Amino acid sequence: MGSSTDVMALSAGAPAPRPKRPPGHRMVSWLDPLILAKTGVRAVISATIGKQADRRLLDALAAPKVEPCDFSVDAAGLPRRELWLDYVSDLGDGWDSTYAVALAVSQPTLILRDETGAAHETQGGEVLVFGGDEVYPAASVKAYEEKTVQPWSSAMRGQRPPAHLFAVPGNHDWYDGLVSFMRLFCQGRSLAGWQTHQHRSYFAVKLPQGWWLLGTDMQLESDIDQPQVCYFQEIAKQIGDKDRIILCLAEPAWLGAQVHASMGRSYLENNLDFLEDQVLGKKISVFLAGDLHHYRRHANDEGRQKITAGGGGAFLHPTHLPRRHPPALEDFTVRKSFPSAEESRRLSWRNLWLVSHNPRFGILMGLIYTLLAWALAVNIGTARLPNALENVMAMALSTPGSALVCLAIILGLIAFADRSFGRGRWLVGLVHSLAHLGAAFLIAWGASHLVDRLLDVPFRSPQRDLLSAVLIFAGGFLAGPSIMGLYLLLSLNVFGAHANEAFSSLAIPDWKNFLRLHIAPDGRLWIYPVGIRRVPRAWKPGETVREPEWVADPRDQKATPPALIEPPIVV
């Protein structure tokens, strides 16, 4: 409750005190046991329901018209000569990263410098595209409001007219069966920063100078439903022979299989092949995708572009994978990565300090180590190391409860091992589990010796058990995450595995990116890849309603301004 002074001030019509910091969220801690459990349950439920009842079929029945949104003409019906667009993917995570990108996008004009120092003046897009995964860790009305709508509305306040928004659903948008996504993006809602137009989870937009913008919905099973196929077949009839297409996908088929080992050509890549070869032909000049939270551009000699730009706010993904050229890229070669492969490899070493990024995971490991030591309880306080190990192994083999605890750890870590290990997956999981079991034994043995020196009490006494438990928990809190971090580091840098887990565990908010596109009067498409090396960590309220609600605090001198990742790409 407020003080009497606050109540009197409010009753007298005085403005309410302004908050000193944004009401935002931290980056999602993906090793938090509660978040892992909730997200895992939602993913399983959504995948199960998605197989039995595809929401897209119902939406197609509710919105049967196949008519593109036309931005090739202005309000007076005259042909447009040019248009600016912004593409942002994988947003709605931590406040600092999401808001920093939204703040850059919201500027009416943005002057960007490239690596040579040359300045390029760009304009805020009249059309805004969300490229997938608009919220983390899972979709809900509350999550969208707090992590997507609120920061974007705050950033766009007083900056320019609302943008025309189109959105592609990603797997995290599907975790509630696409219910919240459809409510927010597909019902013609007009919010503070944007106006929505689409009525399905996929869309077609006619742009000036013979350009088209198409967005697909691959759902959780990475497939295209029949009504969506019919929709794009009808749209293809309206696309001229010389027209060109910008195709937005939720996931980069050309890279996805390298990071998500469970994916194969039978789904996502074949869908892309089907769209390209059977429906849209070679008119696709630019492929845009998120899902991987970095910037990477591939191009071929014909000038066709495949760009992964998933830097709208979520944690960073590595760029030093894959080490081999993916077959799906064929004649495409990598032209630019942000961060660079060298910087990405350097960042991966943060896994050695995993507990500092994931203290709740450290608590979980401390509890598991304590439980394991309790299950294998045997008096090893005076025994030498070989004898103590022999006694513990005898206890484990003779006690069913102890054996089950050890077996559960071994099987759990074998299941956790990345599928990209192939047939050696069980061996990798076994070695990983034995490292934890060995660490738990050494910590218990060391704690027992230390307690023997500190307390002259018999084995199984309350004082001894309590002190031993505290020491083992502390050891597990430090050793468990350290072993996991070392496992992830070696898996990533030596075997090219666990790319997602090795970087999601770090929750790096920096190295953000988005794309600014300009259809010029001469018909060429200019693509400006915008990067933010380090997002601000401190904010202060905007002074007037003509400013964003929050602006970067100049005292945060480590923050870097938006800049071009590479010179503009011209198609």
Side-chain angles (χ1 to χ4, degrees):
M1 295 181 65
S3 66
S4 58
T5 303
D6 295 332
V7 175
M8 291 175 63
L10 291 174
S11 63
R18 301 180 68 184
K20 295 183 178 180
R21 56 183 302 169
H25 291 261
R26 291 179 175 271
M27 299 288 288
V28 173
S29 178
W30 286 101
L31 287 184
D32 186 317
L34 295 178
I35 290 177
L36 277 176
K38 290 180 181 179
T39 305
V41 169
R42 286 192 176 190
V44 171
I45 293 174
S46 181
T48 302
I49 295 176
K51 291 178 181 179
Q52 308 300 324
D54 194 333
R55 173 64 188 260
R56 297 172 299 181
L57 303 179
L58 301 176
D59 296 329
L61 293 174
K65 294 179 63 177
V66 180
E67 186 175 342
C69 194
D70 194 351
F71 283 87
S72 64
V73 296
D74 59 20
L78 299 176
R80 291 175 183 260
R81 300 189 61 217
E82 61 180 328
L83 185 73
W84 289 85
L85 306 90
D86 288 315
Y87 175 89
V88 185
S89 186
D90 299 275
L91 53 150
D93 194 344
W95 172 276
D96 293 337
S97 53
T98 298
Y99 189 77
V101 173
L103 192 63
V105 171
S106 69
Q107 304 303 307
T109 59
L110 192 61
I111 298 177
L112 303 165
R113 296 191 178 275
D114 59 24
E115 296 173 343
T116 66
H120 303 262
E121 183 174 339
T122 65
Q123 298 180 22
E126 183 178 342
V127 174
L128 173 62
V129 181
F130 284 168
D133 287 340
E134 277 72 65
V135 72
Y136 288 86
S140 70
V141 173
K142 181 180 179 182
Y144 276 123
E145 173 62 30
E146 293 180 350
K147 294 191 170 187
T148 306
V149 175
Q150 189 177 83
W152 273 83
S153 298
S154 298
M156 300 185 81
R157 186 188 74 170
Q159 295 304 288
R160 52 189 175 92
H164 299 280
L165 176 68
F166 297 87
V168 173
N171 60 307
H172 290 269
D173 300 296
W174 265 98
Y175 282 170
D176 72 340
L178 213 64
V179 173
S180 301
F181 177 93
M182 295 298 298
R183 180 180 299 178
L184 181 60
F185 299 112
C186 303
Q187 294 184 356
R189 293 178 181 268
S190 179
L191 301 175
W194 59 66
Q195 170 67 52
T196 60
H197 297 274
Q198 68 195 84
H199 297 287
R200 304 190 192 189
S201 55
Y202 41 94
F203 58 83
V205 183
K206 188 176 182 181
L207 303 173
Q209 305 292 350
W211 283 94
W212 289 76
L213 175 70
L214 305 184
T216 63
D217 179 6
M218 298 293 189
Q219 205 229 23
L220 288 169
E221 289 296 308
S222 297
D223 70 333
I224 298 179
D225 57 301
Q226 183 60 31
Q228 188 174 177
V229 172
C230 295
Y231 177 90
F232 285 115
Q233 286 175 334
E234 290 298 316
I235 293 295
K237 296 176 182 178
Q238 304 178 42
I239 300 177
D241 292 337
K242 295 183 179 181
D243 289 355
R244 291 165 289 177
I245 297 171
I246 304 168
L247 181 63
C248 300
L249 304 164
E251 300 173 357
W254 52 94
L255 287 176
Q258 298 294 322
V259 175
H260 306 292
S262 60
M263 296 166 56
R265 289 193 59 85
S266 60
Y267 283 110
L268 185 57
E269 294 177 24
N270 282 349
N271 282 326
L272 184 58
D273 292 342
F274 177 79
L275 272 179
E276 183 176 356
D277 298 336
Q278 304 299 323
V279 180
L280 304 176
K282 296 296 182 180
K283 297 175 183 177
I284 307 175
S285 296
V286 180
F287 298 81
L288 301 181
D291 190 59
L292 299 183
H293 311 158
H294 57 233
Y295 173 85
R296 184 152 35 178
R297 180 175 67 91
H298 293 79
N300 65 4
D301 294 338
E302 298 175 358
R304 303 178 77 198
Q305 308 291 326
K306 292 186 175 181
I307 303 176
T308 306
F315 67 88
L316 178 68
H317 266 128
T319 59
H320 60 288
L321 293 181
R323 287 172 290 188
R324 296 185 301 273
H325 191 68
L329 284 172
E330 299 175 349
D331 59 337
F332 286 76
T333 57
V334 63
R335 304 299 174 91
K336 186 67 176 182
S337 295
F338 179 78
S340 66
E342 293 75 16
E343 181 67 23
S344 172
R345 190 174 292 105
R346 186 187 67 80
L347 291 170
S348 69
W349 285 84
R350 294 186 184 185
N351 276 285
L352 295 180
W353 297 270
L354 197 67
V355 70
S356 64
H357 311 295
N358 303 273
R360 291 187 180 180
F361 179 68
I363 293 174
L364 174 65
M365 296 305 294
L367 292 174
I368 291 176
Y369 275 43
T370 304
L371 174 64
L372 184 62
W374 175 78
L376 297 174
V378 62
N379 189 4
I380 56 176
T382 59
R384 293 188 176 183
L385 188 60
N387 295 332
L389 179 60
E390 182 179 351
N391 293 339
V392 169
M393 292 183 64
M395 172 65 73
L397 294 175
S398 62
T399 308
S402 303
L404 285 175
V405 172
C406 295
L407 183 61
I409 293 174
I410 293 173
L411 294 179
L413 291 177
I414 289 176
F416 174 73
D418 200 310
R419 294 185 181 182
S420 63
F421 285 118
R423 295 180 179 179
R425 182 184 179 191
W426 69 270
L427 179 60
V428 171
L430 178 62
V431 172
H432 185 195
S433 60
L434 290 178
H436 283 287
L437 292 174
F441 162 74
L442 291 175
I443 291 171
W445 179 74
S448 182
H449 273 267
L450 183 59
V451 170
D452 270 343
R453 294 183 180 181
L454 296 177
L455 297 177
D456 187 15
V457 293
F459 181 68
R460 283 298 194 189
S461 64
Q463 302 96 320
R464 181 190 181 99
D465 289 348
L466 179 60
L467 182 57
S468 295
V470 170
L471 293 173
I472 294 171
F473 174 85
F477 178 85
L478 297 174
S482 297
I483 293 173
M484 175 64 76
L486 180 60
Y487 166 78
L488 293 175
L489 177 66
L490 293 176
S491 297
L492 178 67
N493 290 340
V494 177
F495 301 100
H498 284 296
N500 189 63
E501 293 81 3
F503 267 66
S504 65
S505 61
L506 302 178
I508 298 173
D510 301 312
W511 303 96
K512 299 301 102 185
N513 67 78
F514 68 93
L515 302 178
R516 177 151 285 179
L517 297 88
H518 179 215
I519 298 175
D522 61 4
R524 293 188 297 174
L525 175 68
W526 290 68
I527 304 175
Y528 299 86
V530 185
I532 303 176
R533 166 63 182 81
R534 185 185 187 279
V535 302
R537 306 298 203 269
W539 307 92
K540 65 177 185 176
E543 297 296 334
T544 69
V545 294
R546 294 181 178 274
E547 289 185 299
E549 189 172 354
W550 299 93
V551 296
D553 192 326
R555 290 176 294 182
D556 185 3
Q557 298 181 359
K558 293 183 178 181
T560 58
L564 285 178
I565 297 173
E566 59 177 325
I569 303 116
V570 183
V571 182

